[in-house]
Amino acid sequence: MKKVLFATGNEAKVKRFKDKLLNKGIDLLSLKDLDISLSVEESGTSAVENALIKARAYHDVSNMPVMAMDDSLYLEKVPDELQPGLYVRRVNGKSLSDEEMIEHYSNLVKNYGVDGKIIARWVYGLAIINGKKEETYTWSKTNFWLVDTSSSVVNPGYPLNSISKNIKLNKYFSEMTQIDQENVQEQEDDVIEFIAKNV
């Protein structure tokens, strides 16, 4: 079975891909599994650039195939200076806890949303380094609102799922079932195929 290191400290992100990659014969390892900890300055100007920076740093220390991911968030009708962009968890230089993120983004919706919601868009970047080969992939999700009222169901590591609703189902992401995800094609099969092909 192939082994690949996922360069993230977010265990929820590892869980997001682990089972799907196991079905492809890939064992996704976390930083915790290998007891690796680095401080990497993410100085890129896009999610995919930051993913590459992380992948290179962790590849250098692990000497094994590495994947890294970053994301950016854009909110309709929110002023440019308040757009999260690449700094979804970092606000005014501070790294927010899950609870603080829910509060911060709920307040943005209250201030700039219409009827308690804002159309939002995630842009993701993924980088894989396998030996000397570097591959990148980017995709986005635009089928959701951020809302000003939180679900009681919180996904640790993915706090914004508690204030994000799928537009088609009008349902919180944190409350979606496997069938819901299949119905709205939240499986990210294209991402899994990209990873499987390049590790």
Side-chain angles (χ1 to χ4, degrees), residues 10 46 155:
N10 187 333
S46 68
N155 299 142

Side-chain angles (χ1 to χ4, degrees), residues 88-105:
V88 179
R89 194 174 277 273
R90 289 183 303 247
V91 176
N92 298 323
K94 181 187 177 195
S95 183
L96 302 183
S97 68
D98 285 3
E99 295 77 19
E100 289 169 331
M101 284 183 71
I102 291 169
E103 181 182 2
H104 174 74
Y105 287 100

Side-chain angles (χ1 to χ4, degrees), residues 98-99 102-103 106 145-156 158-166 170-176:
D98 285 3
E99 295 77 19
I102 291 169
E103 181 182 2
S106 296
W145 294 303
L146 274 191
V147 297
D148 63 3
T149 305
S150 179
S151 164
S152 60
V153 180
V154 177
N155 299 142
Y158 284 106
L160 296 187
N161 281 357
S162 300
I163 57 167
S164 298
K165 279 189 170 183
N166 177 273
N170 192 26
K171 192 169 187 179
Y172 288 104
F173 279 87
S174 62
E175 297 178 8
M176 286 173 64

Side-chain angles (χ1 to χ4, degrees), residues 93-137:
K94 181 187 177 195
S95 183
L96 302 183
S97 68
D98 285 3
E99 295 77 19
E100 289 169 331
M101 284 183 71
I102 291 169
E103 181 182 2
H104 174 74
Y105 287 100
S106 296
N107 286 334
L108 279 180
V109 177
K110 285 173 185 163
N111 291 331
Y112 298 101
V114 176
D115 297 327
K117 59 194 177 202
I118 284 178
I119 292 176
R121 176 170 59 101
W122 283 108
V123 177
Y124 300 95
L126 178 70
I128 295 175
I129 299 182
N130 191 356
K132 295 189 183 305
K133 187 173 87 165
E134 295 184 350
E135 299 291 341
T136 60
Y137 190 72

Side-chain angles (χ1 to χ4, degrees), residues 22-188:
L22 268 177
N23 292 335
K24 298 281 186 184
I26 297 164
D27 185 11
L28 189 62
L29 303 176
S30 70
L31 297 177
K32 200 173 175 182
D33 292 331
L34 298 183
D35 197 26
I36 294 175
S37 179
L38 288 180
S39 178
V40 180
E41 185 182 345
E42 297 172 29
S43 55
T45 58
S46 68
V48 80
E49 281 184 19
N50 277 344
L52 256 178
I53 289 167
K54 285 188 278 193
R56 287 171 181 153
Y58 282 95
H59 182 263
D60 286 348
V61 299
S62 68
N63 201 27
M64 67 181 294
V66 173
M67 66 178 254
M69 189 176 163
D70 199 25
D71 42 50
S72 49
L73 179 63
Y74 301 93
L75 309 174
E76 197 172 84
K77 297 184 179 165
V78 169
D80 288 348
E81 65 272 15
L82 296 176
Q83 286 288 347
L86 290 167
Y87 304 101
V88 179
R89 194 174 277 273
R90 289 183 303 247
V91 176
N92 298 323
K94 181 187 177 195
S95 183
L96 302 183
S97 68
D98 285 3
E99 295 77 19
E100 289 169 331
M101 284 183 71
I102 291 169
E103 181 182 2
H104 174 74
Y105 287 100
S106 296
N107 286 334
L108 279 180
V109 177
K110 285 173 185 163
N111 291 331
Y112 298 101
V114 176
D115 297 327
K117 59 194 177 202
I118 284 178
I119 292 176
R121 176 170 59 101
W122 283 108
V123 177
Y124 300 95
L126 178 70
I128 295 175
I129 299 182
N130 191 356
K132 295 189 183 305
K133 187 173 87 165
E134 295 184 350
E135 299 291 341
T136 60
Y137 190 72
T138 188
W139 72 104
S140 66
K141 286 185 183 176
T142 56
N143 59 339
F144 74 102
W145 294 303
L146 274 191
V147 297
D148 63 3
T149 305
S150 179
S151 164
S152 60
V153 180
V154 177
N155 299 142
Y158 284 106
L160 296 187
N161 281 357
S162 300
I163 57 167
S164 298
K165 279 189 170 183
N166 177 273
I167 292 173
K168 182 179 174 186
L169 300 178
N170 192 26
K171 192 169 187 179
Y172 288 104
F173 279 87
S174 62
E175 297 178 8
M176 286 173 64
T177 65
Q178 187 73 28
I179 292 168
D180 290 334
Q181 291 177 14
E182 288 167 9
N183 286 340
V184 296
Q185 296 164 345
E186 290 294 329
Q187 293 301 302
E188 299 179 321

